[in-house]
Amino acid sequence: MKREIALALGGGGAKGNAHIGVLRVLEDAGYTVRAVAGTSAGSIVGALYAAGYNPLEIEEWVKSVDQRHFFDRSSGDRPSILGLHGLRTMLESALGERDIRSFSIPFGAVSVDILSGKTIFMTSGSAVEAVLASSAVPGIFPPLKKGNWLLVDGGTTDNVPVRLARLLAPGVPVVAVSLTTMPSVVPCFSGLKPPFQVPGLLKIAGRLRYTQALKIALRAVDIALSEATLLRLAVDRPEVLITPDVAEIDILDTDVPVEKVAALGEEAARHALKDIERLFSPLGRLRRRPPKPELRDVVVV
């Protein structure tokens, strides 16, 4: 009996390396991935996997990133604090000019058109452009212009893309991986961490008013994103939800070893294996009642 699943990989910046560990455990357990939907960090790992890279190769790819230039800006970048030049270079080296439709596994990435407010499910066209759009955290990274759209991080509306996973593989149970948790409690404003750590960033920047204001704004966004993700998951109801314990990892933390984060994904996936296995029992098959994907204000391309 085939044990086929569709994956919905959520966003979370550096937390996204946990997806590598989840993929490794699912492969070792013998599950066949029929489709992968990803948002932001989930779109990066998901695109590589759907393109044919195995978990070990993805892990080595992440390790090879030159952190000194990862957040460099490119000429022509739209307003943003940091750039995605390093990510673009890495993606182009791994995916070239491939169209998403050429992947061995059906894949889709989620972004949001900041002009119309519509959620965009990208299932065709340039894989590199789709991932960059899905990863463009508003204000932090430059939005991507595509036709009349100005695309930003899909986490704005659909951080764990269960609906897209169902569209890519109808009738197949969805295993979702959420990296979004309520931010840890801090005792006072001074307990807030800097919004990001970039090599060469002047220490004095952390004391500037605009940096302090950014810390407050990003924490508010983090809290809102956590609540929105929980509400979205309650509506979309994935058959299994995996939640790696990545709360202590910052979204743009470049110092945490890839293996450590991947190990957190492995641990969470192992705990979820019994729940996934139940999906394929006779009773589990009878109990499957996935909701029909609600696609109001969604454009599929």
Side-chain angles (χ1 to χ4, degrees):
M1 180 196 307
K2 281 188 176 182
R3 298 187 301 167
E4 298 179 324
I5 57 175
L7 295 178
L9 305 181
K15 305 172 193 273
N17 292 326
H19 292 314
I20 299 171
V22 172
L23 289 170
R24 184 175 293 133
V25 169
L26 294 176
E27 276 198 353
D28 290 345
Y31 291 100
T32 299
V33 176
R34 273 278 308 279
V36 184
T39 296
S40 198
S43 75
I44 298 173
V45 176
L48 292 169
Y49 188 72
Y53 289 88
N54 63 44
L56 178 59
E57 290 171 330
I58 297 173
E59 185 173 305
E60 293 302 317
W61 180 85
V62 175
K63 287 181 185 177
S64 70
V65 171
D66 183 353
Q67 302 293 352
R68 295 171 302 171
H69 301 290
F70 193 72
F71 296 120
D72 286 355
R73 292 173 54 80
S74 301
S75 60
D77 275 352
R78 288 171 173 79
S80 62
I81 297 172
L82 303 174
L84 285 173
H85 178 73
L87 177 59
R88 176 183 284 275
T89 300
M90 292 294 296
L91 288 171
E92 288 175 346
S93 70
L95 300 173
E97 298 180 359
R98 292 185 65 178
D99 188 292
I100 292 173
R101 289 169 294 189
S102 72
F103 287 178
S104 53
I105 298 172
F107 169 75
V110 183
S111 63
V112 173
D113 174 26
I114 201 70
L115 302 178
S116 68
K118 292 186 181 296
T119 299
I120 312 298
F121 287 174
M122 296 173 287
T123 62
S124 62
S126 166
V128 170
E129 296 292 305
V131 172
L132 288 172
S134 186
S135 304
V137 180
I140 303 298
F141 298 121
L144 187 138
K145 186 77 166 62
K146 185 177 178 66
N148 293 324
W149 294 333
L150 194 60
L151 302 177
V152 298
D153 192 318
T156 308
T157 60
D158 200 348
N159 199 42
V160 184
V162 176
R163 293 178 295 171
L164 177 53
R166 293 201 198 284
L167 288 174
L168 292 170
V172 175
V174 174
V175 174
V177 185
S178 177
L179 308 175
T180 305
T181 57
M182 191 59 68
S184 302
V185 175
V186 293
C188 57
F189 171 73
S190 60
L192 291 177
K193 295 180 180 180
F196 46 77
Q197 296 182 19
V198 182
L201 188 67
L202 296 177
K203 292 182 179 179
I204 193 173
R207 297 193 295 269
L208 297 178
R209 286 185 179 181
Y210 75 85
T211 305
Q212 295 174 345
L214 185 59
K215 287 196 288 185
I216 293 176
L218 287 182
R219 182 169 175 84
V221 169
D222 212 8
I223 293 170
L225 181 61
S226 298
E227 293 288 354
T229 300
L230 289 174
L231 291 172
R232 185 77 258 171
L233 287 169
V235 171
D236 295 337
R237 304 199 322 263
E239 277 71 14
V240 173
L241 177 62
I242 299 175
T243 55
D245 184 12
V246 291
E248 298 304 316
I249 300 170
D250 292 333
I251 290 177
L252 299 181
D253 195 336
T254 58
D255 294 327
V256 181
V258 177
E259 305 93 328
K260 179 179 178 180
V261 187
L264 295 174
E266 288 184 18
E267 182 181 3
R270 288 195 195 96
H271 284 304
L273 283 178
K274 287 184 179 179
D275 292 331
I276 301 174
E277 190 60 36
R278 289 192 193 102
L279 298 175
F280 299 94
S281 68
L283 184 57
R285 290 174 181 274
L286 285 173
R287 285 180 173 173
R288 280 190 213 162
R289 295 289 186 274
K292 183 178 179 181
E294 188 275 307
L295 300 179
R296 182 173 56 87
D297 291 329
V298 173
V299 178
V300 183
V301 293

